[in-house]
Amino acid sequence: MKTNNFFSLMKERNCNHKKLFLKKNNGDFIKYGQLYDISAKFANTLVNLGVVRGDRILVYAEKSVENLIVYLACLRAGFIYLPINPAYTQTELEYFIEDSLPKVIICSPNKEDTVKVIGEKFKVLAVETLGTDGKTGSFLEKAGKSSMDFADVICTKDDIAAIVYTSGTTGRSKGAMITHGNLYSNAMALCETWKFSQDDVLLHALPIFHVHGLFVATNVALVSGSSMIFLPAFDVDEIINHLSSATVMMGVPTFYTLLLQNTRLTRELVGYMRLFISGSAPLLAEIHRQWSERTGHQILERYGMTETGMIASNPYVEERVPGTVGFPLVGISLRIADQSSGNLLPDGEIGLIEVKGPNVFKGYWHMPEKTREDFREDNFFITGDLGFIDEREYLHIVGRQKDMIITCGLNVYPKEIEEKINGIAGVVESAIVGVPHKEFGEGVIGVVVVKKNVNLSEKEILIELKKELAQYKVPLKIIFVDMIPRNTMGKAQKSILRSSYNNLFI
């Protein structure tokens, strides 16, 4: 990679200023030439506020085109972009500000007063506002007076481009330092794997405070020179209205589940589409099957995480196997290691997934000990995910190491049981967790959602499971709920379930 920043490398690959970059759902559009000009104005605005190379810009604002361009402006200027979920509370926000010490905070107008109080506490240089209509906010007012002339700052591949905080389900959130080299290498690998070109139109309905919507979706569009239909959020009707104009959609499993409930989803509607991609959480095999039958398209599942970007993907041309995440991307090495010894395991055996490549992050912000703990001596990153490689070399994810249950001294992998329960007629979805048990160490419980008007008992589920699973894997208790708690990216929040039923067997 050249000694330059991600934005400049993207611009070198895509110099067609007249090409459509982005279209809003209200019909307004931005061409690549306008993108370059606006991002230059934004970069100059930040410089005028006193920001210098290496400073953090914390963005606590709703999804908007302008929010996205702030990210690009930071890349151009050598600043570090730090996206924060706008749904986070004041207490959560204060932690991120104290940890990252940003030079400037850009927030939604309705959060200005709260953010200014916290900003003053931690000596933030400036708090600016940014609305979602492309017109309101103090940042846009200042940008309107800024120059469109900006010389991109020279960065190396190892310079930090962004800090993205992990969800913090096992402790306090950690800031993953993502470099310019990480962004560029991963975007190029995905372009090759998913066959992106300037002819593509990406339907973008994901949030942009997360790796999926910000780095995967946006960066792939940028380096390929393709266009985007940019929706403020996921809305079934809006997605349906735009499917006939797009070629690719990236989503989480919830997107596909909800779309299948709409009768307007037909093969004719998606006739122009070439690819549906799913990630951030496991896709149920039943949803995969239903989508294929309804649309004629097989959803392509991939695997990644905050610290690594995308790691593996089902193939574009070859068979996409439900329940797997395919093969490592080009340039990425992947292996399975024993949880205790760290020794490498043969194909078919379950162990820790470890990965090495130009996609792997630089480390955790201000957490050198945690960084060292999560890397092997040969620089393989320990993902914390458990999986195995089958006889065809497809990678299977069986769950997080922290979600593995040890009952009576035996390992239980939740996904295996969840797949059995999800295959029972009338079940919508399930989650398997372990809770303290005075005799077994941990007791296995199943939290299950069933379809409306379906009568399914605990006894019926257990009978079916006992036919296919060893007794120690069969849940001691089935709990029926209306829904399983999930985060904004659709991942089941098993920590909440464990906490809710922590005293069940004590």
Side-chain angles (χ1 to χ4, degrees):
M1 178 179 172
K2 297 179 182 178
T3 303
N4 215 325
N5 66 35
F6 172 79
F7 187 91
S8 297
L9 289 163
M10 174 275 294
K11 194 174 178 181
E12 286 178 14
R13 286 181 50 82
N14 177 32
C15 297
N16 186 352
H17 286 226
K18 296 182 180 180
K19 177 79 168 59
L20 176 67
F21 166 60
L22 181 149
K23 183 177 180 181
K24 303 180 186 179
N25 63 329
N26 65 0
D28 292 345
F29 61 86
I30 294 177
K31 294 182 179 180
Y32 272 90
Q34 294 172 295
L35 175 70
Y36 304 147
D37 292 341
I38 298 170
S39 61
K41 291 171 75 72
F42 282 13
N44 278 318
T45 303
L46 292 169
V47 170
N48 293 338
L49 287 170
V51 184
V52 299
R53 176 176 174 168
D55 282 342
R56 277 78 61 206
I57 308 299
L58 188 147
V59 180
Y60 180 56
E62 303 295 333
K63 180 180 180 180
S64 69
V65 174
E66 291 69 33
N67 187 339
L68 184 64
I69 299 178
V70 170
Y71 158 63
L72 300 178
C74 289
L75 294 179
R76 297 189 70 170
F79 307 148
I80 299 173
Y81 182 81
L82 205 158
I84 296 296
N85 184 344
Y88 278 149
T89 65
Q90 180 177 339
T91 301
E92 291 169 318
L93 175 65
E94 185 164 344
Y95 165 75
F96 296 124
I97 293 174
E98 181 179 14
D99 190 63
S100 63
L101 294 177
K103 184 66 69 72
V104 170
I105 299 174
I106 300 175
C107 66
S108 300
N110 64 340
K111 297 172 180 174
E112 182 179 11
D113 292 342
T114 297
V115 175
K116 278 189 172 179
V117 171
I118 304 174
E120 289 175 4
K121 180 178 178 180
F122 295 105
K123 297 180 173 56
V124 174
L125 186 66
V127 173
E128 303 293 337
T129 59
L130 184 66
T132 58
D133 59 1
K135 302 175 183 178
T136 57
S138 62
F139 186 77
L140 291 183
E141 291 177 14
K142 289 181 172 66
K145 302 172 186 176
S146 297
S147 170
M148 288 191 298
D149 294 324
F150 187 84
D152 295 349
V153 171
I154 301 299
C155 298
T156 72
K157 65 179 181 179
D158 295 322
D159 284 333
I160 303 169
I163 295 175
V164 183
Y165 279 87
T166 61
S167 58
T169 54
T170 58
R172 67 190 182 103
S173 295
K174 305 180 292 291
M177 298 183 289
I178 313 298
T179 69
H180 286 265
N182 296 153
L183 297 179
Y184 188 72
S185 66
N186 212 223
M188 292 297 292
L190 291 172
C191 275
E192 179 179 336
T193 300
W194 295 339
K195 310 302 179 187
F196 263 78
S197 74
Q198 291 191 8
D199 296 328
D200 276 309
V201 179
L202 172 67
L203 185 52
H204 194 304
L206 293 160
I208 58 171
F209 56 79
H210 188 271
V211 166
H212 194 170
L214 181 64
F215 298 153
V216 181
T218 301
N219 288 352
V220 168
L222 286 168
V223 298
S224 65
S226 57
S227 304
M228 289 197 293
I229 299 171
F230 201 72
L231 303 181
F234 175 78
D235 178 272
V236 170
D237 290 332
E238 285 293 337
I239 294 289
I240 293 289
N241 291 339
H242 289 94
L243 274 175
S244 61
S245 303
T247 64
V248 181
M249 187 180 88
M250 298 185 192
V252 298
T254 305
F255 285 17
Y256 297 103
T257 301
L258 293 175
L259 284 167
L260 282 168
Q261 297 172 15
N262 193 296
T263 57
R264 294 170 60 196
L265 179 69
T266 62
R267 290 191 178 218
E268 292 72 26
L269 180 71
V270 300
Y272 189 55
M273 294 287 296
R274 72 171 184 86
L275 184 60
F276 290 97
I277 302 169
S278 181
S280 295
L283 182 73
L284 295 178
E286 178 63 15
I287 298 301
H288 195 287
R289 183 189 63 78
Q290 290 180 21
W291 189 269
S292 181
E293 290 178 355
R294 179 86 75 87
T295 68
H297 286 271
Q298 278 198 320
I299 297 172
L300 185 151
E301 280 193 89
R302 86 303 180 277
Y303 164 57
M305 58 193 308
T306 302
E307 292 92 337
T308 63
M310 294 305 100
I311 297 171
S313 171
N314 264 275
Y316 181 73
V317 177
E318 300 168 46
E319 185 181 4
R320 300 170 195 171
V321 180
T324 78
V325 291
F327 314 110
L329 300 179
V330 61
I332 296 175
S333 299
L334 184 147
R335 67 191 188 190
I336 307 296
D338 182 81
Q339 296 179 64
S340 301
S341 67
N343 294 333
L344 299 189
L345 296 175
D347 288 355
E349 291 196 25
I350 294 173
L352 280 168
I353 299 171
E354 300 182 355
V355 61
K356 182 178 180 179
N359 60 308
V360 178
F361 76 135
K362 192 170 186 174
Y364 295 112
W365 176 256
H366 288 167
M367 298 179 73
E369 290 185 6
K370 178 59 178 172
T371 299
R372 285 192 293 271
E373 179 184 320
D374 285 355
F375 280 87
R376 300 290 188 192
E377 291 184 0
D378 57 0
N379 290 324
F380 269 82
F381 173 63
I382 306 167
T383 65
D385 288 324
L386 296 171
F388 68 93
I389 297 172
D390 67 21
E391 67 281 359
R392 298 173 61 189
E393 299 301 315
Y394 283 79
L395 175 64
H396 298 245
I397 312 295
V398 302
R400 293 288 292 171
Q401 184 182 28
K402 65 181 178 64
D403 291 332
M404 188 186 76
I405 303 163
I406 302 178
T407 184
C408 300
L410 299 170
N411 293 347
V412 173
Y413 301 101
K415 187 176 179 182
E416 178 187 11
I417 308 170
E418 289 164 356
E419 288 179 344
K420 301 298 184 185
I421 296 177
N422 295 340
I424 296 173
V427 171
V428 175
E429 61 178 340
S430 64
I432 295 294
V433 296
V435 296
H437 192 288
K438 58 184 178 182
E439 294 179 29
F440 305 151
E442 283 188 290
V444 181
I445 65 170
V447 182
V448 178
V449 179
V450 298
K451 296 178 181 178
K452 292 181 179 179
N453 303 318
V454 169
N455 292 318
L456 190 61
S457 69
E458 177 184 40
K459 183 178 180 179
E460 289 172 309
I461 291 177
L462 295 179
I463 288 173
E464 291 300 315
L465 293 180
K466 288 175 181 177
K467 294 177 182 177
E468 301 187 62
L469 296 173
Q471 183 60 44
Y472 73 91
K473 298 179 184 178
V474 176
L476 301 177
K477 183 74 176 174
I478 298 293
I479 298 167
F480 295 98
V481 297
D482 292 331
M483 65 174 60
I484 290 171
R486 296 184 178 277
N487 65 16
T488 53
M489 296 309 296
K491 292 182 180 179
Q493 294 182 298
K494 293 190 174 182
S495 59
I496 294 177
L497 295 177
R498 283 191 289 266
S499 177
S500 299
Y501 305 111
N502 204 47
N503 297 319
L504 196 61
F505 303 123
I506 299 297

